[in-house]
Amino acid sequence: VYKRQYQRRVHGGSQGSFIIDGLVLESAAYSNGCVRLPESGSLASPLPTSMFTWLQRDQAAKLRTPNSMLFPLYLNSTRDVVLCQLHLEVDKSVPAHIWYERGVSLTAWHKE
């Protein structure tokens, strides 16, 4: 059932889509579709299962909003290998430099 649900979701998306589960947002929190400052002292926040779609640059540019920022997706918490960069919606009440100062990023593999 677990596998079938994901297969349906992938097939329901466009070609070039894939699903990733287990991504972790570091140095920030994620709620209501937005990156926010954490309310607790937590340094990592698990992200919900996400569907990614490969887009050409001009298509991706049309989807960006003034409240989106580019964050790196690292292979793991050592931050040695950058897999790609992702545009995510951020809390517009937080100045952009704060996200960079905090070193906000995503990791694809997080040691339990």
Side-chain angles (χ1 to χ4, degrees), residues 45-56:
S45 174
L47 292 174
T49 300
S50 305
M51 183 186 306
F52 288 78
T53 303
W54 294 111
L55 298 172
Q56 293 182 3

Side-chain angles (χ1 to χ4, degrees), residues 10-25:
V10 169
H11 289 221
S14 62
Q15 284 188 332
S17 295
F18 56 96
I19 293 189
I20 296 181
D21 189 29
L23 293 179
V24 174
L25 182 63

Side-chain angles (χ1 to χ4, degrees), residues 67-107:
N67 297 329
S68 70
M69 288 186 62
L70 194 61
F71 295 104
L73 170 60
Y74 293 102
L75 177 62
N76 56 37
S77 60
T78 64
R79 297 185 178 200
D80 289 335
V81 178
V82 178
L83 300 176
C84 64
Q85 295 182 339
L86 305 170
H87 282 273
L88 299 175
E89 293 292 315
V90 296
D91 181 347
K92 63 182 175 185
S93 69
V94 178
H97 69 91
I98 298 294
W99 303 115
Y100 295 117
E101 289 173 3
R102 294 181 64 87
V104 175
S105 66
L106 297 96
T107 55

Side-chain angles (χ1 to χ4, degrees), residues 54-69:
W54 294 111
L55 298 172
Q56 293 182 3
R57 286 183 193 216
D58 59 335
Q59 291 175 311
K62 292 176 188 175
L63 297 175
R64 287 188 207 122
T65 69
N67 297 329
S68 70
M69 288 186 62

